[in-house]
Amino acid sequence: MHSGTTTIQDPKNPEHVKTFTFDLAYWSHSGFQMDKDGVFISADPNSKFASQSDVFHDLGRAVLDSAWQGYNATLLAYGQTGSGKSYSMMGSGANKGLVPRVCEELFQATETQERNQEHQTPLKGTLSVIEADVFGVNTNKVTFSMLEIYNEQVRDLLSRTKKPGGLKVREDQQLGFYVEGLTSVPCENYVQIERLMEQGTKIRTTASTSMNASSSRSHMVITIQFKQSAPPLLPRAPTAPPSTEPRLPAASPSTPATCCLNPSLPAEQSAHSRAEHGLRTDQLTWAHQLEQAREEWRQHYVAIAQERQMMKTVPHLLNVNEDPQLTGVLKHFLQADFRPLGLLSYQLLQSEALLTIPAPQPPTPNPLGTRALGAVCRDRIILGSNSAYLYVGFPWERGGEDLSRFDYDFFQLERAAAEGVSVDQLGAGDRGEGKADPSVLVVFQDYVKLMPLVAEANQMSEELKKPTGPQGPQTNIPSQIVLQGGLSGYLGGFYVTKKPLGTRDPITRKLIRDFITPELKMELKVKNLASSDSRGCDLQKEVMVKVTNQRTHEVWIWSKAKFINRKFLMEELYQRFLDGEDSHVVQEDDPFWDPVQVVHLGSAHIWLQPLAYCMKFEEQAEFLNCDGLEEAVLHIHITPCSPAGRACGEEDVVIDPLELLGKRMDFQIRIVRCLGAKWLKEDAERGIQMGYRIYNLPYTLYTKPVWKIMNPQIEESVQFTALNASQEFLNYLQTNALIVDLWGLQEGCTELSCSQLDLLVTDEGHIMVDTKKISTVIDIGQTASAQMSELYLKLLRLEQETGMLRSINRALSEENVLLKESLEKTGSGQRAHQPSSTLKITGMTAPSPAARELDQACTQRASYDREFAKALKGFYQSMNVARGKFLKLRCHKPPEDDQMLRPFVHQQSQMLKDFGELLESSLWKLKNDVALIVKKKRECLLHSE
Ligand SMILES: Nc1ncnc2c1ncn2[C@@H]1O[C@H](COP(=O)(O)OP(=O)(O)OP(=O)(O)O)[C@@H](O)[C@H]1O
């Protein structure tokens, strides 16, 4: 960043650079230090670090100046979640943001102006006298309001009573847009505004906690109405009384500078209801309201002082929220005897819910006979999926530790660890240098972030679907219940209730959750993209959500983005349900529903090296699912053959794949059967299909769908032809695997099919592969002249490459001929020139005994080569098995149950042992085979010499 210019470079593509120019741009990533008050300041005079005060200087001042001139001014922060909107607007700790700074400065300026008015300014003095008569205080009026928009509903953050459906936004011809019935509080100084913001934040936090609302989807609007007294000589429009509604600049010199409270504080009424009143009534009302507010303020200050005192001495719970601005905002003090704790206003723990934290000394006998929980300072309590608290114990337990490290991320990681999720477990955690693979870290972060969201989605689904258990939703709730274990609770909290509960009661809802099987189950999965890479490269992984309808067995796979979108829709629906509104939706609008689709179950890798040696191979490959576990077993045959489809024999095996270069290659892929598919075991009504794509085929070829058969015999063959095998194709065969995907079919889904129309086929009807050159020619016929030259160039380059390959080939065969000739010469002593270049031709000439011997030797040598190829084939096959074992090993997860750890470790070491042995034995076998062949070959050569 250089002043207003920001340059962005694509890390993967360094030449991709984009430059953007802004009016103002700030750097705050580096070059700063903290002063003694905790304020971030520039580390040195050359640092480009922009502090909160720099931002205020550039932006806040301008807003204030406009306000003083009578204009409406708005500060709007817009951007991606986590980009620093709240930080810039509100600030964090000592680093105050724009809103507090604007307010502070506003009051400072007001006070200065008033002092000046009292002492000197005659014109303004006149006005201040008149108004001072009425108010007895300053002449400027400031009111404050704070609202939140969440799920398109407006909520008053200065009122504890939530209006179902939210407040209404209205438009007035004169006043423009305004929120009807929004609380607006008169303020006389900055401290009051600070308190109002604190209170508003509390209400916002409580709402976010009880609704499981994510702050990243909520928008906050703070409005400060600033009404100056104008000199009487200046013409001005009749003034409406102070209210929250934004004004048009011409109507009144009042300023809602965009930047929440206690219902007990006096709220202003709508401007409409009093618009017709005169100036004096307005002023009297204002004076009255102000007076009332001052009473209220006094009480408020006492309460705050009490709270501060209690924080020092009394154990309490502090909330921890995803939004750092909302963390530590709620404090729940624990009663003196720590039993019962009935103070949690959190929805799930209403007054009848008791969470017991016994006093540590002496341990009080628990009246319910349940075990003492023994909470220790800094214990974490997680209630539900969105409500996290830090337990701050007795003063003597606290020590001097900075509690700010227990932030949302800390809770998330701890929770992940408790559920056994770690970077290592997600795979490739350590790349050897002690550093985790960044892509795995990203997946881990996604996973950890999504975990509570998935848990919430599950809870909402369970409640909304009104599950029909054995006794339906009207389950008879016993009048006294002790639920052990709490909602999750590292403290192992429990809930006690002594009176019958209604079905909308949180505890009843928990009971329903616990005792009646929910319909939908959402689970987080990590998809390993390596399974769709034909080289098995460890590509990135991605998080997805598997949704299962446990009743119908329908399965859906949702991407992260889809899940997040659905989650917001679920929240909307859930809110309607909580508000007592009709939460029934038609199927198409149901966020929990989707049309059924085929589901990707797993992939099998079949390495294609043998084909490059013209060797037939039969494989039993495992379909591995996203957890790396066996989903089914595939039987597949890949057979090189003649154009007529006759399978090649051992005599056709080549020693060097280059021998196939430029030649016609035909082969058959035969999917024989699929064994033991878990998908079919789970539900007999289901079906499967398999699909694969070889080399650069533009389409995936699918087998026919098979339904309701456990181990279906597929027996589908497709013949492929490479008319002119290219180097690239041969390289592909040597280094890549054919990926066969297994797809799960479920009732009502659309089966997979492939339009083979665009596939190139030979006269025999074989599908053509390795058709680059052919398709380029075809393309040329079809493309516009502008693209022609480019294509011709490509074609030319291809021709050149092919030419080069041909000459390499020629050189190689010539060398071969020379070698053979020199061999013959040594063997027979004949000087005659033999033009023959192949064994067959040699065989056709009248052979001398020595030549016969040589012929024999050569035939023998060819058979050694075949043996060598065979040995290689065996090795490749065992390597395939080893690869499968390795994948399985990598995905083998430790059990959650400690007791199972020993058998797990035993099994793991057995698997490792097997794996090691397999590797050893295959290598040993290959070495032995090769040594034997080399020995035989040497003997043969010696003999022929
Ligand atoms: N300029 C800055 N200097 C230091 N820390 C910052 C700065 N900007 C943002 N942060 C920190 O980055 C984190 C995310 O910022 P913040 O919560 O303001 O983002 P946001 O845009 O409001 O996010 P959301 O949309 O999710 O509410 C916070 O911990 C905040 O303290």
Side-chain angles (χ1 to χ4, degrees):
M1 285 171 69
H2 298 286
S3 59
T5 309
T6 299
T7 307
I8 295 173
Q9 188 181 37
D10 181 347
K12 285 192 195 135
N13 221 341
E15 66 274 13
H16 268 206
V17 173
K18 279 200 172 132
T19 301
F20 301 89
T21 305
F22 302 96
D23 291 339
L24 294 163
Y26 300 98
W27 177 270
S28 54
H29 286 279
S30 59
F32 62 92
Q33 62 187 34
M34 203 194 267
D35 74 5
K36 61 175 183 1
D37 301 321
V39 178
F40 296 125
I41 50 166
S42 285
D44 61 76
N46 300 326
S47 160
K48 55 179 174 180
F49 172 74
S51 65
Q52 293 277 42
S53 111
D54 294 327
V55 177
F56 172 69
H57 185 268
D58 291 346
L59 304 172
R61 281 258 152 73
V63 166
L64 266 179
D65 288 348
S66 305
W68 282 105
Q69 288 167 28
Y71 291 105
N72 288 334
T74 301
L75 274 169
L76 173 77
Y78 170 84
Q80 197 178 334
T81 179
S83 57
K85 298 181 291 294
S86 310
Y87 183 88
S88 307
M89 287 299 232
M90 306 299 282
S92 157
N95 293 283
K96 284 185 190 150
L98 281 163
V99 173
R101 281 170 194 268
V102 164
C103 296
E104 205 168 19
E105 190 111 339
L106 177 72
F107 282 107
Q108 263 172 20
T110 305
E111 279 166 24
T112 314
Q113 191 207 43
E114 279 154 18
R115 270 201 303 277
N116 289 344
Q117 283 168 355
E118 270 169 36
H119 298 303
Q120 311 135 17
T121 330
L123 195 68
K124 286 187 179 172
T126 322
L127 180 72
S128 73
V129 171
I130 302 167
E131 296 207 343
D133 267 348
V134 182
F135 296 127
V137 281
N138 63 24
T139 54
N140 292 330
K141 300 172 197 168
V142 174
T143 57
F144 182 91
S145 64
M146 194 167 172
L147 64 89
E148 178 182 50
I149 306 170
Y150 188 85
N151 269 349
E152 300 192 13
Q153 289 194 3
V154 177
R155 173 169 189 155
D156 188 346
L157 289 178
L158 298 189
S159 166
R160 281 190 204 280
T161 37
K162 185 181 175 285
K163 198 165 175 274
L167 298 178
K168 294 276 172 292
V169 178
R170 303 213 181 274
E171 190 178 2
D172 179 271
Q173 269 193 352
Q174 265 201 331
L175 304 170
F177 288 100
Y178 66 97
V179 176
E180 192 176 59
L182 182 71
T183 308
S184 176
V185 180
C187 297
E188 292 176 288
N189 52 50
Y190 171 62
V191 181
Q192 290 177 349
I193 292 217
E194 228 177 8
R195 295 287 159 268
L196 290 173
M197 287 196 283
E198 257 175 44
Q199 298 239 14
T201 309
K202 255 188 201 169
I203 294 178
R204 192 176 180 211
T205 311
T206 316
S208 125
T209 308
S210 57
M211 277 170 61
N212 288 337
S214 160
S215 73
S216 55
R217 270 259 177 149
S218 89
H219 309 281
M220 183 167 72
V221 179
I222 287 178
T223 306
I224 298 164
Q225 282 274 333
F226 169 47
K227 195 168 178 192
Q228 289 180 74
S229 308
L233 293 178
L234 288 177
R236 55 184 283 201
T239 325
S243 77
T244 54
E245 293 83 343
R247 310 290 167 79
L248 301 170
S252 135
S254 65
T255 306
T258 299
C259 340
C260 305
L261 195 143
N262 197 327
S264 59
L265 284 173
E268 294 225 338
Q269 291 160 23
S270 133
H272 280 270
S273 60
R274 290 178 289 116
E276 70 281 6
H277 288 243
L279 182 67
R280 199 169 164 80
T281 325
D282 169 31
Q283 285 166 342
L284 280 171
T285 316
W286 170 256
H288 176 70
Q289 282 175 347
L290 210 56
E291 192 48 43
Q292 228 181 321
R294 283 189 193 137
E295 277 161 44
E296 300 289 353
W297 279 119
R298 253 172 253 125
Q299 281 178 7
H300 189 61
Y301 289 131
V302 171
I304 288 172
Q306 275 175 347
E307 185 181 287
R308 293 219 167 118
Q309 191 54 31
M310 280 169 82
M311 293 269 288
K312 285 189 195 143
T313 52
V314 182
H316 53 275
L317 299 173
L318 280 180
N319 83 300
V320 176
N321 196 289
E322 180 186 3
D323 186 341
Q325 304 277 335
L326 306 186
T327 293
V329 168
L330 304 180
K331 300 157 195 101
H332 298 297
F333 293 100
L334 309 186
Q335 280 179 9
D337 62 355
F338 301 96
R339 194 172 40 77
L341 161 75
L343 296 179
L344 289 184
S345 58
Y346 175 59
Q347 217 177 349
L348 279 171
L349 286 178
Q350 281 166 348
S351 52
E352 59 270 70
L354 316 175
L355 175 69
T356 311
I357 301 175
Q361 292 189 16
T364 1
N366 193 312
L368 290 160
T370 42
R371 88 191 147 88
L373 298 166
V376 210
C377 190
R378 291 183 295 278
D379 264 349
R380 273 76 64 194
I381 305 176
I382 298 180
L383 302 167
S385 51
N386 191 41
S387 216
Y389 294 92
L390 181 70
Y391 169 64
V392 182
F394 295 90
W396 60 85
E397 286 181 285
R398 295 183 194 175
E401 196 182 357
D402 177 14
L403 299 180
S404 64
R405 79 184 180 94
F406 299 104
D407 59 4
Y408 188 74
D409 287 347
F410 180 94
F411 272 66
Q412 294 274 64
L413 291 176
E414 190 175 53
R415 193 184 180 128
E419 296 190 19
V421 180
S422 67
V423 176
D424 283 346
Q425 185 222 351
L426 293 183
D430 197 327
R431 289 200 298 179
E433 315 105 53
K435 270 190 193 163
D437 182 334
S439 75
V440 177
L441 276 183
V442 169
V443 171
F444 177 65
Q445 275 161 7
D446 272 352
Y447 197 99
V448 168
K449 246 200 158 84
L450 287 179
M451 265 170 43
L453 301 189
V454 170
E456 277 166 19
N458 275 323
Q459 283 177 17
M460 289 191 283
S461 143
E462 286 156 26
E463 290 179 33
L464 280 168
K465 291 290 160 183
K466 300 171 208 74
T468 42
Q471 294 152 43
Q474 303 304 319
T475 306
N476 199 10
I477 307 292
S479 63
Q480 179 165 336
I481 316 144
V482 178
L483 292 178
Q484 297 283 356
L487 283 178
S488 83
Y490 298 120
L491 267 178
F494 53 85
Y495 303 90
V496 183
T497 180
K498 289 204 167 79
K499 61 176 191 182
L501 303 165
T503 42
R504 286 208 42 216
D505 178 276
I507 293 180
T508 317
R509 294 211 307 264
K510 162 125 183 65
L511 278 174
I512 292 173
R513 275 208 290 275
D514 287 355
F515 298 125
I516 302 169
T517 315
E519 204 169 81
L520 278 195
K521 186 172 101 194
M522 286 167 252
E523 297 163 276
L524 266 179
K525 296 274 173 197
V526 176
K527 185 169 163 191
N528 195 344
L529 300 180
S531 70
S532 46
D533 181 66
S534 71
R535 282 160 173 250
C537 289
D538 226 348
L539 296 173
Q540 288 191 349
K541 291 152 198 280
E542 63 187 28
V543 175
M544 56 185 192
V545 178
K546 180 180 173 187
V547 187
T548 315
N549 185 320
Q550 310 203 81
R551 189 173 47 80
T552 61
H553 294 176
E554 288 162 320
V555 175
W556 299 268
I557 303 290
W558 288 354
S559 68
K560 174 185 146 194
K562 177 163 182 164
F563 168 74
I564 289 178
N565 272 326
R566 286 296 176 103
K567 168 92 190 332
F568 285 119
L569 297 174
M570 291 174 196
E571 270 167 28
E572 242 170 78
L573 194 68
Y574 184 63
Q575 193 52 44
R576 294 221 302 261
F577 166 73
L578 287 185
D579 290 346
E581 291 170 28
D582 182 13
S583 59
H584 182 79
V585 275
V586 291
Q587 201 173 47
E588 292 76 53
D589 296 337
D590 185 350
F592 296 93
W593 183 84
D594 247 344
V596 275
Q597 287 168 342
V598 286
V599 177
H600 183 255
L601 302 175
S603 310
H605 282 66
I606 295 95
W607 293 85
L608 293 165
Q609 295 112 330
L611 203 53
Y613 294 84
C614 224
M615 279 190 275
K616 168 184 168 163
F617 58 112
E618 301 173 8
E619 295 265 345
Q620 297 208 7
E622 285 173 324
F623 283 109
L624 296 180
N625 65 18
C626 62
D627 294 326
L629 302 173
E630 182 187 303
E631 183 64 40
V633 173
L634 163 74
H635 279 209
I636 185 168
H637 293 181
I638 299 186
T639 319
C641 56
S642 71
R646 186 187 54 82
C648 293
E650 296 215 326
E651 65 287 357
D652 300 301
V653 169
V654 297
I655 298 143
D656 185 345
L658 264 183
E659 291 178 41
L660 300 171
L661 188 70
K663 301 225 176 93
R664 174 172 173 151
M665 277 180 80
D666 289 89
F667 58 94
Q668 249 178 32
I669 296 185
R670 182 164 143 232
I671 301 223
V672 184
R673 68 181 81 88
C674 172
L675 291 174
K678 284 198 186 125
W679 174 256
L680 299 170
K681 276 186 209 156
E682 281 164 16
D683 185 337
E685 296 299 302
R686 290 170 172 174
I688 52 156
Q689 253 185 298
M690 281 167 275
Y692 62 88
R693 234 163 95 168
I694 187 158
Y695 195 49
N696 55 6
L697 264 201
Y699 297 101
T700 303
L701 303 174
Y702 295 104
T703 57
K704 283 194 203 78
V706 193
W707 291 85
K708 306 178 193 178
I709 300 175
M710 203 34 230
N711 295 313
Q713 194 76 17
I714 310 281
E715 294 292 359
E716 278 185 41
S717 300
V718 180
Q719 185 146 343
F720 297 89
T721 302
L723 283 177
N724 189 353
S726 69
Q727 178 74 61
E728 209 185 344
F729 180 59
L730 293 172
N731 285 348
Y732 160 83
L733 293 180
Q734 286 172 87
T735 49
N736 287 267
L738 175 78
I739 297 165
V740 181
D741 288 308
L742 180 65
W743 296 91
L745 302 170
Q746 40 189 341
E747 217 181 323
C749 75
T750 320
E751 294 166 352
L752 297 164
S753 66
C754 140
S755 96
Q756 297 195 4
L757 288 178
D758 296 346
L759 293 174
L760 293 173
V761 284
T762 62
D763 295 344
E764 300 93 345
H766 305 166
I767 295 176
M768 285 210 262
V769 287
D770 193 17
T771 54
K772 225 180 198 166
K773 201 169 151 190
I774 300 166
S775 53
T776 313
V777 176
I778 292 168
D779 281 352
I780 286 170
Q782 291 166 351
T783 34
S785 61
Q787 295 167 314
M788 290 280 254
S789 53
E790 201 189 324
L791 284 166
Y792 266 125
L793 274 178
K794 275 191 188 163
L795 191 68
L796 267 179
R797 234 176 285 138
L798 261 171
E799 289 288 9
Q800 278 168 0
E801 276 171 29
T802 326
M804 216 166 71
L805 289 173
R806 270 201 211 105
S807 36
I808 294 176
N809 197 21
R810 211 174 304 124
L812 282 171
S813 4
E814 275 166 13
E815 201 185 318
N816 207 14
V817 173
L818 282 176
L819 276 171
K820 259 182 222 151
E821 279 175 2
S822 63
L823 257 176
E824 274 175 39
K825 274 174 211 157
T826 346
S828 64
Q830 283 177 6
R831 302 255 151 228
H833 178 71
Q834 286 278 0
S836 57
S837 60
T838 65
L839 293 171
K840 277 182 194 148
I841 295 172
T842 316
M844 283 196 295
T845 57
S848 66
R852 214 176 298 127
E853 216 170 89
L854 178 82
D855 189 15
Q856 226 171 28
C858 285
T859 320
Q860 211 159 12
R861 211 181 61 183
S863 95
Y864 299 145
D865 289 340
R866 263 202 304 279
E867 271 180 51
F868 180 64
K870 245 172 146 178
L872 263 181
K873 178 183 163 183
F875 179 69
Y876 290 139
Q877 273 169 352
S878 48
M879 278 304 103
N880 267 346
V881 178
R883 220 190 108 75
K885 283 203 169 180
F886 179 64
L887 282 177
K888 225 174 173 175
L889 252 173
R890 259 186 31 187
C891 303
H892 202 209
K893 286 179 205 148
E896 274 162 30
D897 184 351
D898 284 353
Q899 289 194 334
M900 296 305 291
L901 213 57
R902 193 178 286 276
F904 169 79
V905 172
H906 181 76
Q907 197 191 355
Q908 183 92 351
S909 46
Q910 192 57 42
M911 276 164 79
L912 275 169
K913 201 167 144 251
D914 289 352
F915 180 61
E917 278 174 5
L918 181 72
L919 275 183
E920 281 292 317
S921 65
S922 353
L923 261 178
W924 183 84
K925 190 166 179 323
L926 182 71
K927 270 194 211 156
N928 259 6
D929 288 353
V930 172
L932 204 75
I933 296 166
V934 169
K935 194 167 152 246
K936 280 194 201 164
K937 225 173 178 173
R938 238 191 235 133
E939 280 167 7
C940 160
L941 267 175
L942 276 176
H943 182 72
S944 61
E945 265 172 30

